[in-house]
Amino acid sequence: MTGRIDFRDGRWQIEDLPGHVSLRFKQVFSGIPFGSRPPYELKDTPDRAYDLQWFLQRYPITLTDRARQRMEMSVAAYETAQRTRTAILSGTYVPGEARGIKAPERADPHQVRAADLFRTSGRLLLLDDVGLGKTVSALAAIADGHGLPAAIVVQPHVADQWMGFIERFTHLRAVQIKSRTPHALEPRDIYVFRYTNLAAWVDHLPELGLSTAIFDEIQELRHGPSTDKGLGAQALVDLCENRLGLTATPIYNYGDEIFNVVEYVAPGCLGTREEFRVNWCRMHGSHWVVKDPEALGAYLQGEGIALRRTEDDLEVSQVLPPLRRMVFEVEWNEGDVETDRELQRRLAQRILTGSFSERGQAARELDLLLRQETGIAKARAVAAYVRTLVEGGEPVILGGWHRAVYDIWREALADLRVVMFTGTESQKQKAEARHAIMAGQADVIIISLRSGAGLDGLQDRVAHVVFGEFDWSGEVHKQLVGRARRRGQTREVTAHYLWTDGGSDPVLMSLLGLKAAQAHGILNPFAGGVQAAPEIDETRMRALALRVLEAGHAADGEAAVPAAPPLDEDEAEILWL
């Protein structure tokens, strides 16, 4: 026998390994810090127990009695779960009717499949594309009483919407908790909390006897327990046997945020944070990024931790309306723009030639200046385009980013019925805006590109989404299109991308960059043709800087700007902030 394995406090303890076995052990379990020596410690997960059993086939390490019992139990559970997951996800599996759904409503087959998978393991990160009905999938999992009582945590602006879905699809008793001041609650099947008030209820959660935690738009927890909402969510997870996360966009920035998201659904499945970083990440400047997003996505889905379906899946193609994309160039209106060209040139030069800190500051300032300038310059042309659609009888979702741009749109469309759903409006005002567009009392709803996550119901009336401004993240665009292209839409949806040949638009149209590449690989590990992260000397802000200088030199009749030398990774990293 070589070495000894014990199991204590939820962790495998590996001791007394000979040098050659220790070396091989660290190669197999690469989360162990480089240069460390036994004893080693590994967090317990079913797949980790399965790997340990495999390692013992080559190296006969002694197991204590409790370690042997734990390994036998964990391996059996892993094999059973794998067989069940494989069956549910196979093409031969026919999902039945979801039990407990209130007639005449029903859950579609792909929604029942997700519910069955979650009920099997008690943990699932449901990454279905926007519009596939993740809300109904979640309710299908508990409508018959499985895993009750449940807590559902949502963004404030969709709390009423969730209550409506619960009433519409189930017979369950639900209550929405709006207050930050804890008080006695009557027993209910479902408690709907908000991310903004969950932390205030931490000490009172045990009184509810909760069994299931459902996190809508779980990317809200991507910063982990460093925030109040993260601490509140952790307290909830610690109480619940079943955990379900819903989102189509778990990653907005760097891929290592997926660790925090997954921890709330399947604690420990990626090991400790250090193990995750060693196994899956690399440093890029001051941040950790996933070095192989496709591999991580495949692992999460292969282990039954995550489930992702898109419009291309045969089972969902029958319920998702078709999408048409239109890219249309609009005019640049110089009259609305107050441009300090000299300032832009100085910032651009600093991005290309300045010191590390100078480049970062200049990049942020130039990004702000150019994107707002671009939005303002094309705002009237965008409004004219929207007017054409509305006067043709089509209500419109209009996506933007800057308040100055919204002001021009509202002025140009003042004779039409326009409502707002941005970061400025109160929850009541947002609810009123949603009702107005759905009831036919408004024809245009202006939505901030990152304010509409989870918003449902617009598909009952709207089939046209106009992008008057752009975001660096393609996933944000997809979210907005998903407000119209979702379950219940009866018409083809058209996404209109209105761009102008100036400012930041040409670069935004061609570059999605590192953030999109990270999200694409994790979400779609088997899609093929994944867009790679751009080369270091082709970062988004460098492209913007070069464009600014080239435009300025062209206007002055000077020669084109020569390419600047490539940045090293540490220098380039700050340009992504």
Side-chain angles (χ1 to χ4, degrees), residues 539-555:
T539 60
R540 67 185 195 189
M541 291 311 303
R542 171 169 293 220
L544 281 179
L546 287 172
R547 183 175 179 84
V548 167
L549 293 179
E550 288 169 355
H553 282 276

Side-chain angles (χ1 to χ4, degrees), residues 328-334 337 339 341 344 366-367 369-379 468-470 472 498-510 543-552:
F328 190 84
E329 184 178 356
V330 297
E331 294 182 358
W332 177 288
N333 185 348
E334 193 72 39
V337 180
T339 303
R341 298 294 182 199
Q344 291 183 6
L366 185 61
D367 186 23
L369 285 174
L370 281 184
R371 284 211 284 160
Q372 177 164 294
E373 174 190 89
T374 305
I376 292 173
K378 64 179 179 176
E469 292 189 271
F470 301 134
W472 288 108
L498 307 187
W499 72 289
T500 187
D501 189 16
S504 58
D505 269 7
V507 176
L508 276 160
M509 292 289 286
S510 62
L544 281 179
L546 287 172
R547 183 175 179 84
V548 167
L549 293 179
E550 288 169 355

Side-chain angles (χ1 to χ4, degrees), residues 133-147:
K134 292 181 288 294
T135 301
V136 177
S137 296
L139 294 179
I142 61 175
D144 65 347
H146 177 85

Side-chain angles (χ1 to χ4, degrees), residues 172-253:
L172 303 177
R173 301 170 304 154
V175 61
Q176 179 183 169
I177 292 87
K178 301 179 181 180
S179 173
R180 295 173 185 265
T181 304
H183 55 272
L185 296 173
E186 294 292 328
R188 291 290 188 272
D189 299 313
I190 300 176
Y191 301 89
V192 178
F193 290 92
R194 303 178 179 190
Y195 283 106
T196 52
N197 67 9
L198 182 61
W201 286 81
V202 165
D203 293 337
H204 297 264
L205 292 177
E207 302 170 5
L208 304 179
L210 298 167
S211 180
T212 297
I214 299 174
F215 297 101
D216 187 33
E217 302 297 342
I218 196 173
Q219 74 273 6
E220 287 284 326
L221 302 176
R222 64 189 182 276
H223 298 302
S226 63
T227 64
D228 285 345
K229 69 179 73 172
L231 290 171
Q234 186 60 60
L236 180 58
V237 165
D238 291 342
L239 291 171
C240 293
E241 179 182 359
N242 308 302
R243 299 168 294 273
L244 174 62
L246 311 174
T247 181
T249 54
I251 303 181
Y252 274 89
N253 295 296

Side-chain angles (χ1 to χ4, degrees), residues 393-407:
E394 293 291 348
V396 171
I397 296 171
L398 176 55
W401 188 249
H402 293 96
R403 180 60 51 181
V405 177
Y406 301 157
D407 291 342

Side-chain angles (χ1 to χ4, degrees), residues 129-134 248 320-321 323 397 452-459 462 465 467 475-487 489 493 495 497:
D129 217 343
V130 176
L132 299 191
K134 292 181 288 294
L320 196 64
L323 172 66
I397 296 171
L455 180 61
D456 189 76
L458 302 187
Q459 72 274 16
V462 185
V465 180
F467 289 94
E475 294 300 320
V476 171
H477 295 163
K478 183 178 263 189
Q479 276 274 10
L480 189 62
V481 172
R483 298 311 111 217
R485 192 182 185 225
R486 60 196 304 110
R487 189 179 190 267
Q489 176 64 261
V493 173
Y497 297 85

Side-chain angles (χ1 to χ4, degrees), residues 421-486:
F421 195 107
T422 72
T424 302
E425 289 72 42
S426 66
Q427 298 308 318
K428 180 181 179 181
Q429 290 172 323
K430 289 181 177 179
E432 291 172 347
R434 174 178 177 271
H435 172 77
I437 197 77
M438 292 173 61
Q441 299 167 0
D443 295 315
V444 180
I445 180 168
I446 297 174
I447 299 183
S448 174
L449 290 174
R450 299 200 177 204
S451 290
L455 180 61
D456 189 76
L458 302 187
Q459 72 274 16
D460 293 340
R461 183 161 181 260
V462 185
H464 288 265
V465 180
V466 175
F467 289 94
E469 292 189 271
F470 301 134
D471 193 281
W472 288 108
S473 171
E475 294 300 320
V476 171
H477 295 163
K478 183 178 263 189
Q479 276 274 10
L480 189 62
V481 172
R483 298 311 111 217
R485 192 182 185 225
R486 60 196 304 110

Side-chain angles (χ1 to χ4, degrees), residues 500-542:
T500 187
D501 189 16
S504 58
D505 269 7
V507 176
L508 276 160
M509 292 289 286
S510 62
L511 289 178
L512 291 179
L514 175 65
K515 298 178 183 180
Q518 289 275 299
H520 187 108
I522 294 173
L523 288 172
N524 305 290
F526 311 113
V530 176
Q531 176 187 359
E535 295 297 324
I536 293 300
D537 62 342
E538 294 177 354
T539 60
R540 67 185 195 189
M541 291 311 303
R542 171 169 293 220

